[in-house]
Amino acid sequence: MHINPYGRDPVGLAVDLVNRPVEGVEDLARRCADVGFVLEREIDPDDFARVRAFLERWTAVVDAADPPERAERLNPLLIEFASAPRLTDHTGDGWHLHYRPEDLPAHRQIAVLVSVGTALHLTGRGMDRLGRCAARGCDRVYADFSRNGRQRYCSPSCGNRDAVRRHRARHRG
């Protein structure tokens, strides 16, 4: 898994795992593979439980009120899971940086990819590029990968529903 400067794949996976909780070990393994995560160890039931606990901590980063609080919540995840970067070509498809030692349990590999990816996303795109959907009744999370940085909804359908609701409210009054 190559972490790009924006952290898109790891952050996108975290958003997906929070919004559509995994149903078991096989589901988690499939969803990691779908985004190109090359895990050195198979996911086991303990990894599954630990990834769910990690995602609760990651969601606190999403819910932070402002950039200093967001950094305050993300930094402990980086300290706990990341290590000094190192060059590797472990999959034979090119040299890239890893922010972890080799041969970690799967849950720690996922946690470091998401933590570092989130840090790269926030510092590269903007500290406000994570959030909760602004649509009434929706509490899904989103990561803003848009060019203009103005995403406020988890999906176009939530944005459209909210626009219709606002339009109808204006015309009723």
Side-chain angles (χ1 to χ4, degrees):
M1 171 74 213
H2 296 250
I3 295 180
N4 67 33
Y6 305 111
R8 185 177 187 116
D9 292 337
V11 175
L13 177 65
V15 166
D16 181 51
L17 295 176
V18 168
N19 289 339
R20 294 183 317 118
V22 290
E23 297 176 5
V25 171
E26 296 81 17
D27 184 34
L28 179 58
R30 180 187 53 75
R31 287 159 75 181
C32 286
D34 286 350
V35 296
F37 281 22
V38 177
L39 300 175
E40 295 169 350
R41 294 189 192 177
E42 292 206 12
I43 297 172
D44 63 31
D46 182 57
D47 291 315
F48 175 72
R50 288 176 183 242
V51 166
R52 291 182 69 161
F54 166 78
L55 289 170
E56 287 180 25
R57 293 174 64 195
W58 182 82
T59 303
V61 175
V62 173
D63 292 334
D66 56 32
E69 182 180 350
R70 184 159 279 156
E72 187 176 299
R73 292 178 180 189
L74 181 56
N75 281 334
L77 297 177
L78 292 167
I79 291 167
E80 182 175 345
F81 295 108
S83 64
R86 67 192 74 216
L87 288 170
T88 183
D89 185 21
H90 66 101
T91 58
D93 64 353
W95 289 95
H96 56 280
L97 284 175
H98 266 201
Y99 295 87
R100 62 178 174 78
E102 301 299 321
D103 200 34
L104 289 176
H107 72 275
R108 291 191 61 86
Q109 290 178 57
I110 294 166
V112 71
L113 284 165
V114 169
S115 297
V116 172
T118 300
L120 292 170
H121 173 73
L122 294 173
T123 58
R125 291 282 189 151
M127 289 296 285
D128 61 340
R129 294 291 193 109
L130 290 175
R132 292 270 180 183
C133 186
R136 185 184 310 162
C138 183
D139 69 343
R140 293 168 54 101
V141 302
Y142 67 85
D144 184 354
F145 299 112
S146 69
R147 186 174 296 188
N148 66 11
R150 296 181 190 208
Q151 182 175 340
R152 297 296 169 254
Y153 298 98
C154 67
S155 66
S157 59
C158 267
N160 291 338
R161 270 195 305 278
D162 201 45
V164 168
R165 181 193 57 76
R166 288 190 318 270
H167 174 77
R168 288 179 178 163
R170 278 193 306 272
H171 290 333
R172 265 186 255 146

